[in-house]
Amino acid sequence: MAKGSQLSQLKSALSQAGVTKPQTGNKRKRSKNEDVDKERKAAKLREIQQKMNPFDVQVTKTKHDVGGRKVKGAIGRPAQSKQAGIQQV
């Protein structure tokens, strides 16, 4: 199990993923591929968010597993479906 508070775990995960960079001086360098960088950072942030909250995934146990068949609705994300329902209204 990871040590420290959730905030310290989040900070370390962000720094390891390369999303946050330490500030050096007053000069700002603009990258040429800003769109690619934004997409890459967004993908890393989604991945970190999923790892940080393992209780967001609800798994339904199957009674009779038949040959590794995938059952529709076996894994659910109740928080995301609730948020989607709120946004629809």
Side-chain angles (χ1 to χ4, degrees), residues 1-45:
M1 187 141 193
K3 293 183 180 179
S5 67
Q6 282 187 337
L7 180 61
S8 63
Q9 291 175 21
L10 176 64
K11 285 181 181 180
S12 66
L14 290 174
S15 64
Q16 287 176 356
V19 177
T20 59
K21 297 178 184 176
Q23 293 289 334
T24 56
N26 293 333
K27 296 181 181 180
R28 289 183 66 190
K29 294 182 180 180
R30 297 280 182 180
S31 65
K32 296 177 183 175
N33 299 328
E34 291 180 9
D35 295 333
V36 175
D37 289 341
K38 287 181 183 179
E39 292 173 5
R40 182 179 57 86
K41 283 183 181 181
K44 285 185 180 181
L45 287 174

Side-chain angles (χ1 to χ4, degrees), residues 56-60 71-78:
D56 193 30
V57 178
Q58 179 181 9
V59 179
T60 305
V71 180
K72 184 177 180 181
I75 297 176
R77 300 186 186 276

Side-chain angles (χ1 to χ4, degrees), residues 57-76:
V57 178
Q58 179 181 9
V59 179
T60 305
K61 294 181 181 178
T62 56
K63 291 185 178 180
H64 305 287
D65 190 20
V66 179
R69 178 177 60 179
K70 292 187 178 182
V71 180
K72 184 177 180 181
I75 297 176

Side-chain angles (χ1 to χ4, degrees), residues 46-58:
R46 280 192 298 271
E47 181 182 333
I48 290 171
Q49 183 181 16
Q50 289 175 354
K51 287 181 182 178
M52 292 297 290
N53 192 2
F55 300 106
D56 193 30
V57 178
Q58 179 181 9

